Amino acid sequence: DALTITTGVIHKRSRMNPKAIRAEEMFGETDKVSGEWVDGIFATMWSKYNDRNRKDIHWIICDGPVDALWIENLNTVLDDN
């Protein structure tokens, strides 16, 4: 991997296709029965890989057709955090 070689830091990748799941599954939603928040796939990945104690750098790659709705949702999620 070129980034690992040039920087000396291990770079890893996780790939997901945002169009393969509902927006609620991607970012999270409120459970209709309990009323509790359930993190979505992207939010879970973000929490897992955004740990400053990690020795590697992890890239989350949203691989799929660009959709204005999920891009807007992603911007909203990242702006709030």
Side-chain angles (χ1 to χ4, degrees):
D1 192 38
L3 282 172
T4 299
I5 293 169
T6 57
T7 64
V9 177
I10 297 171
H11 284 69
K12 297 181 180 179
R13 297 175 297 273
S14 291
R15 183 172 269 123
M16 64 179 291
N17 183 348
K19 294 294 285 181
I21 55 177
R22 297 180 302 116
E24 295 82 8
E25 292 170 316
M26 183 170 172
F27 299 112
E29 62 186 324
T30 304
D31 184 276
K32 293 174 182 33
V33 175
S34 68
E36 293 182 21
W37 180 259
V38 179
D39 282 339
I41 295 168
F42 185 86
T44 301
M45 291 171 69
W46 182 266
S47 296
K48 179 179 178 182
Y49 299 130
N50 193 27
D51 179 358
R52 297 198 187 274
N53 294 322
R54 292 181 64 96
K55 303 280 188 236
D56 61 353
I57 295 175
H58 206 103
W59 296 83
I60 301 172
I61 301 168
C62 296
D63 188 13
V66 175
D67 180 301
L69 182 59
W70 72 258
I71 289 293
E72 184 60 35
N73 289 338
L74 181 60
N75 283 333
T76 301
V77 168
L78 295 176
D79 285 345
D80 289 346
N81 292 314

